[in-house]
Amino acid sequence: MSDFKPVDLKSMAPGHIRPDPMQARDLVGYGETPPDPRWPGGAKIAVSFSLNIEGGGESTLANGDAVSEGMLNDIGVATKSGVRVPLVESVFEYGSRRGAWRVLDILQRFAVPVSILGVARALEQNPALARACVERGHEMVSHGYRWIDYCDVDETTEREHIRQAVDTLTKLTGSRPLGWMTGRPGPNTRRLIAEEGGFLYDRDSLADELPYWIATAHGPHLVIPYSYEANDNRFNENSGFSTSGQFFEYMRDAFDILYAEGVAGSPKLLSIGLHDRLIGRPGRAGGLIKLLQHMKATDGVWFCRGIDIARHWRAHFPPGT
């Protein structure tokens, strides 16, 4: 006998609290007709850029790890055990030394505030960069203490890393991070984030184009979806984007489709992920400039940080409404 149950239409409401996806998956979401998010100023689209700063927090023997970093190192060098890999380390160093500053300057030129997804271990090795990010009006989001896969980390260690990340970023920036994004979360991550408390939202989901509430043992928790698709990670090893023009065209098309849906009465959120060591390269940064020029020439666009979205959602769609 089938266990199928009809979808409760109330579960599509923006303030409805859905089950924790670690307990029960939600493949319905907002359904056929997503709600009007009522973006500020009647905006037809919300655009949220996130700049990942990870260099120094990646897997390396220099951090006491057993292996080198094999993910998003941009040069296709696989993980190696028991040895440091200088070229891989230098890619991550490039992001922190040069790429981040280029991207920050571009964002300042267009007056676009973003979420900085800051790995605490990375930024504690470049405190001037951490300070510059917040001084320029960007939000510091905790991207974990380390840039590693937390599916492979035990619960006790992950809990301690959450505490270390909060303490480190608070010390570096002068204020506690209110957003969280692990990037490679494990099955315990969201429960531990809710347990720690103090976060207004997390971005460890690729499940939607609007925020949503979930239930946890510590109360309702807000999730603001991220994207690994509208993301410069597709520059990695030229696996998706080989030129700045390809990046621009793809992101422009995503923007135009969502903007048209917003004009038709169904505004959405476009989340775009950037990395200092990827889009920060001079041969790629032009694509970001063209994209910002295109977006800035369009009326009805809300450029927002994760914390701005979280506060808007909490004010207009509190849990249980």
Side-chain angles (χ1 to χ4, degrees):
M1 180 179 292
S2 172
D3 293 328
F4 174 79
K5 295 181 180 180
V7 174
D8 180 0
L9 295 179
K10 292 181 181 179
S11 69
M12 300 179 188
H16 181 82
I17 305 172
R18 295 163 173 75
D20 182 342
M22 288 292 100
Q23 305 297 323
R25 296 180 67 191
D26 178 4
L27 299 176
V28 176
Y30 291 118
E32 183 177 5
T33 307
D36 182 351
R38 291 183 268 167
W39 298 136
K44 306 305 179 185
I45 186 172
V47 176
S48 178
F49 284 95
S50 297
L51 174 60
N52 291 264
I53 298 179
E54 300 155 342
E58 80 280 10
S59 182
T60 168
L61 270 66
N63 279 331
D65 303 303
V67 299
S68 65
E69 186 58 68
M71 182 174 179
L72 287 187
N73 61 41
D74 201 31
I75 55 177
V77 175
T79 294
K80 296 183 182 295
S81 299
V83 63
R84 291 181 65 175
V85 185
L87 280 180
V88 169
E89 292 183 10
S90 71
V91 170
F92 285 88
E93 290 161 8
Y94 175 87
S96 181
R97 290 164 57 122
R98 179 82 308 271
W101 297 109
R102 176 170 290 115
V103 176
L104 288 175
D105 287 345
I106 291 171
L107 295 170
Q108 185 168 328
R109 171 181 164 188
F110 288 93
V112 171
V114 305
S115 294
I116 303 295
L117 305 186
V119 174
R121 174 64 182 139
L123 287 171
E124 69 182 352
Q125 297 174 76
N126 193 343
L129 179 57
R131 290 193 298 270
C133 288
V134 296
E135 287 170 359
R136 296 191 188 202
H138 306 303
E139 170 204 15
M140 184 61 70
V141 175
S142 178
H143 197 12
Y145 183 68
R146 295 289 312 282
W147 193 65
I148 55 178
D149 189 341
Y150 279 88
C151 281
D152 301 326
V153 175
D154 65 87
E155 181 176 331
T156 300
T157 301
E158 185 173 11
R159 181 182 286 109
E160 175 60 17
H161 279 198
I162 291 171
R163 186 195 63 79
Q164 285 181 280
V166 171
D167 290 349
T168 300
L169 292 178
T170 300
K171 185 181 300 183
L172 287 171
T173 66
S175 61
R176 186 197 190 285
L178 299 178
W180 181 276
M181 198 275 193
T182 309
R184 287 176 280 177
N188 299 316
T189 301
R190 184 163 285 139
R191 175 172 56 81
L192 294 177
I193 293 303
E195 172 190 292
E196 194 278 338
F199 293 105
L200 297 185
Y201 70 97
D202 81 59
R203 305 203 70 167
D204 277 323
S205 171
L206 313 175
D208 213 307
E209 293 167 350
L210 288 175
Y212 56 91
W213 292 97
I214 63 167
T216 76
H218 301 275
H221 179 77
L222 184 64
V223 178
I224 301 175
Y226 188 64
S227 176
Y228 277 4
E229 163 265 333
N231 195 306
D232 69 357
N233 61 19
R234 300 176 67 197
F235 274 125
N236 186 57
E237 302 178 50
N238 295 323
S239 60
F241 303 135
S242 295
T243 69
S244 64
Q246 291 172 347
F247 170 85
F248 163 66
E249 290 177 7
Y250 192 92
M251 301 302 168
R252 178 203 61 197
D253 289 351
F255 173 83
D256 288 351
I257 287 291
L258 292 182
Y259 185 82
E261 291 181 3
V263 170
S266 184
K268 308 289 194 323
L269 164 66
L270 174 59
S271 176
I272 298 179
L274 306 173
H275 296 75
D276 53 10
R277 65 189 178 279
L278 298 177
I279 199 69
R281 295 283 181 178
R284 297 167 173 168
L288 177 60
I289 292 172
K290 290 178 182 177
L291 179 62
L292 291 172
Q293 288 172 334
H294 178 72
M295 292 175 168
K296 281 286 187 172
T298 307
D299 293 329
V301 181
W302 181 39
F303 292 96
C304 48
R305 307 165 302 173
I307 190 62
D308 303 321
I309 301 169
R311 287 170 174 156
H312 172 84
W313 211 260
R314 286 172 171 273
H316 293 273
F317 306 109
T321 58

